[in-house]
Amino acid sequence: MLRIAGLNVSIGPIPIIRNASLDLDEGEMCGLIGRNGAGKTTLLRAVMGAIPASGTLTLNDVDLLALPAHQRVQHGIGYMPEDRRLVPQFTVEENIRLPTWTTKADGVEQRLDWIFTIMPEVANFRARRAMELSGGQQKMVALARALMAGRKILLLDEPFEGLAPALARRLGEVMANLKTEGVSILIAESNEVHVADLLSRAFRIERGSVAAA
Ligand code: ATP
């Protein structure tokens, strides 16, 4: 479904991702495992179109490299950045709706209802401002926001990073439930301990090179 082949990404003159290849099948949950600085965030940002890349990057038959970032989102790709990037003054619900403001997506209300059904704790604080939440709660909101656009593909950057054990367990539960929804998920983590049980396959990334693990 998502195919990355021979992908190269440079930041300034420095090659960061070198000839990376990986593929993600429909409904599959894969890991992208590598230590800090290995290039996980750079690879995910390149898929989203936040930084230029060369090589092959397709979603089904769509050439994503030919599209600007906002059009990639319209093809059903959701991204959860490591640092959450919520708008602090906006309510939780406004933050979750944010990706739909520019994409004119259909079925927004049904999608939001579905997200609140699978993450009822987020529904409970939907009217609170993002800045009033703990870091862990904000991670849940960032996942909810990624789900708003991510009808086909979810790219999650270290979703378990910094979560207290109870929240990490809960996040794992939510992600396990997503497996039945047909969404393909790529999870970047520096430590596979949180995700090993969830994954069907893992790719290892080291100094910008990706290999099957
Ligand atoms: P982390 O978990 O620490 O974020 P990561 O695997 O996600 O690690 P990246 O953030 O993708 O790694 O960084 C990969 C490499 O690219 C690192 O050596 C980093 O220093 C470099 N890098 C990333 N962004 C920039 C930038 N804006 N300018 C210069 N170098 C960068």
Side-chain angles (χ1 to χ4, degrees):
M1 187 174 201
L2 181 73
R3 180 162 175 264
I4 299 173
L7 199 80
N8 289 293
V9 182
S10 295
I11 296 181
I14 305 163
I16 305 287
I17 301 297
R18 305 149 199 260
N19 199 25
S21 300
L22 67 83
D23 57 283
L24 199 55
D25 291 336
E26 190 169 341
E28 189 182 29
M29 202 175 288
C30 286
L32 178 66
I33 311 295
R35 59 184 77 155
N36 290 347
K40 303 180 296 294
T41 299
T42 304
L43 183 61
L44 299 189
R45 283 169 49 78
V47 174
M48 291 310 297
I51 33 176
S54 63
T56 301
L57 175 61
T58 55
L59 176 57
N60 297 322
D61 293 332
V62 178
D63 176 10
L64 294 177
L65 286 184
L67 303 177
H70 70 276
Q71 283 182 23
R72 296 188 198 186
V73 174
Q74 285 171 6
H75 282 279
I77 309 178
Y79 174 47
M80 174 181 175
E82 186 183 1
D83 56 2
R84 311 184 295 266
R85 304 259 176 100
L86 301 181
V87 183
Q89 305 85 343
F90 284 7
T91 66
V92 165
E93 184 171 331
E94 285 166 342
N95 270 284
I96 297 170
R97 285 179 182 271
L98 206 62
T100 68
W101 290 353
T102 50
T103 58
K104 302 185 208 86
D106 293 329
V108 169
E109 300 312 315
Q110 293 93 308
R111 187 80 184 165
L112 192 64
D113 287 348
W114 171 72
I115 290 169
F116 284 154
T117 309
I118 59 169
M119 301 172 82
E121 58 273 76
V122 175
N124 286 340
F125 47 67
R126 66 197 286 174
R128 284 169 66 187
R129 290 206 243 176
M131 63 188 180
E132 294 165 14
L133 305 180
S134 71
Q137 289 171 325
Q138 289 187 28
K139 281 242 167 187
M140 300 296 271
V141 177
L143 175 62
R145 183 186 52 189
L147 278 167
M148 203 66 202
R151 291 160 194 258
K152 292 188 187 145
I153 305 279
L154 275 182
L155 306 174
L156 309 180
D157 197 353
E158 306 210 23
F160 292 95
E161 175 75 19
L163 282 188
L167 259 184
R169 266 196 305 278
R170 175 63 191 135
L171 186 67
E173 250 172 53
V174 172
M175 282 165 46
N177 290 338
L178 286 175
K179 273 189 172 178
T180 58
E181 299 289 337
V183 187
S184 308
I185 307 182
L186 184 65
I187 310 174
E189 277 291 338
S190 51
N191 187 338
E192 63 251 75
V193 68
H194 291 298
V195 288
D197 291 346
L198 293 168
L199 304 178
S200 58
R201 289 185 295 150
F203 298 91
R204 206 157 279 289
I205 179 165
E206 204 169 318
R207 274 177 277 147
S209 295
V210 176

